[in-house]
Amino acid sequence: MSEPDRTVYGCAVAEVAEPESVLLPGHDVPLGRYTTVRRLLPQRPRRMVGAWCFADHFGPEDVTGRPGMQVPPHPHTGLQTVTWLVEGEIVHRDSLGSDQAITPGQLNLMTSGHGIAHSEQSPPDHPPGMHGLQLWVALPEHARHGEPRFEHHPVLPVLEGGGDGTVTVVVGELGAERSPARVHSPLLGAEVLLASGGHRRLPLDPGFEHAVLVMSGTARVAGVDLEPGALLYLGQGRGEAVVDADGPARLFLLGGEPFDEPLVMWWNFVGRSHEEIVTAREDWAAGLRFGAVGGCAADPLPAPELPSVRLKARDRHGRVL
């Protein structure tokens, strides 16, 4: 799926192949009573992209006369949540006392640290459409035991040059632009919007691994045709990605330094061992550690039963450690 570069060394011309691209189809997962999402991370062939460990794409969906997103209070540990909307409105409430609506083009970033609870609900007078991404970032060891935090960023930087369309830097850095969002590992999240088709070159950090998904329309990225419902893993070592579209298209680019710490992911918890997950579940059931979400009338979500076998730590390739 990749084309070789031609690099000149003295009088010789060497063929240097770009990293291999891997197209990973997502699968549908119900989220509460009213929303179905397409889960793009984690997958068996590719569990992470940098520190990105979870990616759900929801919509576009007509929610006229319907409740829209209604996710009751639930806990998190060991991660950051990134909420990105292109249609609709969601109100975030958490156990820190945050009560923040998010609308398209704005960023909600919640850092769980050692524990936080939150809800995400469309308001009663919500817009007719719902479309967006819910992403998780695994926190490294030095940050995962810290205090929880919430940030709302209504204005984000836009990358100039490189061709057509608009590139919004949501998280991390791209080219000369840096998002104001606070992250804890070298990371990138950016929306690429081609309003009427066109061509765009995206500068990439060769030390990062990258992936891209299409939210709407169709596009060709690194020579691969993409449409909504799949994740294209671009690997590590690329200096740029070329995006082409014949019509309107909206994409999201993920990237980051490979995350080398082992993870155990279960329900809404990201930890390092089976014992950590068991303790987090017990604390949530006992009303400890995570706090209460004010302003939300819905009952907190009960934790599901743990599996009958021990949860095993895995590396970023999915290998059991």
Side-chain angles (χ1 to χ4, degrees), residues 30-34 39 69-76 116-121 136 266-269 280-287 290-293 296-305:
L31 185 66
R33 294 175 54 191
Y34 304 104
R39 184 144 301 159
M69 181 171 288
Q70 297 294 324
V71 181
H74 58 281
H76 284 296
I116 196 171
H118 76 138
S119 64
E120 292 178 298
Q121 298 175 305
W136 293 0
W266 180 82
W267 194 42
N268 297 308
F269 306 133
R281 184 186 183 279
E282 291 174 348
D283 287 350
W284 175 246
F290 297 98
V293 178
C296 178
D299 292 332
L301 284 177
E305 293 297 322

Side-chain angles (χ1 to χ4, degrees), residues 182-198:
R182 182 180 172 190
V183 295
H184 298 273
S185 60
L187 204 67
L188 167 64
E191 183 193 69
V192 182
L193 178 61
L194 296 174
S196 57

Side-chain angles (χ1 to χ4, degrees), residues 2-321:
S2 58
E3 295 293 331
D5 291 334
R6 298 183 68 83
T7 305
V8 178
Y9 299 97
C11 296
V13 178
E15 298 288 343
V16 180
E18 287 187 340
E20 187 70 12
S21 303
V22 181
L23 187 62
L24 303 171
H27 63 281
D28 288 349
V29 176
L31 185 66
R33 294 175 54 191
Y34 304 104
T35 304
T36 297
V37 302
R38 284 171 295 284
R39 184 144 301 159
L40 303 172
L41 278 178
Q43 297 195 36
R44 188 177 297 273
R46 175 54 49 185
R47 297 189 64 80
M48 301 181 73
V49 178
W52 299 101
C53 62
F54 181 94
D56 276 354
H57 176 205
F58 53 90
E61 183 179 11
D62 185 353
V63 292
T64 303
R66 299 167 55 198
M69 181 171 288
Q70 297 294 324
V71 181
H74 58 281
H76 284 296
T77 61
L79 58 86
Q80 292 180 291
T81 64
V82 174
T83 304
W84 183 250
L85 285 182
V86 298
E87 290 183 70
E89 181 179 349
I90 297 173
V91 177
H92 164 100
R93 298 182 178 93
D94 62 38
S95 51
L96 299 175
S98 309
D99 189 333
Q100 177 64 59
I102 180 175
T103 56
Q106 302 179 348
L107 170 65
N108 273 3
L109 175 67
M110 185 183 76
T111 302
S112 72
H114 61 80
I116 196 171
H118 76 138
S119 64
E120 292 178 298
Q121 298 175 305
S122 301
D125 56 347
H126 58 74
M130 176 67 68
H131 188 195
L133 294 173
Q134 181 72 66
L135 306 161
W136 293 0
V137 180
L139 288 171
E141 185 65 29
H142 68 83
R144 71 190 189 95
H145 300 292
E147 293 299 316
R149 187 177 72 251
F150 175 75
E151 304 169 35
H152 175 75
H153 297 285
V155 179
L156 295 163
V158 173
L159 183 67
E160 301 296 335
D164 304 312
T166 302
V167 179
T168 302
V169 183
V170 179
V171 172
E173 304 183 58
L174 184 62
E177 299 297 335
R178 176 191 285 270
S179 166
R182 182 180 172 190
V183 295
H184 298 273
S185 60
L187 204 67
L188 167 64
E191 183 193 69
V192 182
L193 178 61
L194 296 174
S196 57
H199 174 86
R200 185 83 191 209
R201 289 185 177 271
L202 302 173
L204 302 182
D205 184 335
F208 283 15
E209 54 183 351
H210 294 90
V212 65
L213 61 94
V214 172
M215 298 184 70
S216 59
T218 60
R220 188 169 181 83
V221 181
V224 180
D225 292 324
L226 285 179
E227 58 185 27
L231 180 80
L232 179 65
Y233 179 69
L234 296 169
Q236 188 180 6
R238 293 179 186 267
E240 70 171 19
V242 177
V243 180
D244 291 289
D246 294 329
R250 188 185 301 267
L251 304 89
F252 204 88
L253 174 67
L254 301 173
E257 281 189 357
F259 192 88
D260 288 327
E261 297 180 27
L263 295 183
V264 178
M265 292 180 58
W266 180 82
W267 194 42
N268 297 308
F269 306 133
V270 174
R272 299 296 188 273
S273 69
H274 175 86
E275 288 75 18
E276 277 190 28
I277 301 299
V278 171
T279 299
R281 184 186 183 279
E282 291 174 348
D283 287 350
W284 175 246
L288 303 173
R289 177 177 169 184
F290 297 98
V293 178
C296 178
D299 292 332
L301 284 177
E305 293 297 322
L306 282 161
S308 58
V309 297
R310 284 181 60 84
L311 300 167
K312 297 179 180 179
R314 297 178 182 271
D315 66 13
R316 61 192 174 92
H317 303 290
R319 297 176 298 219
V320 175
L321 301 175

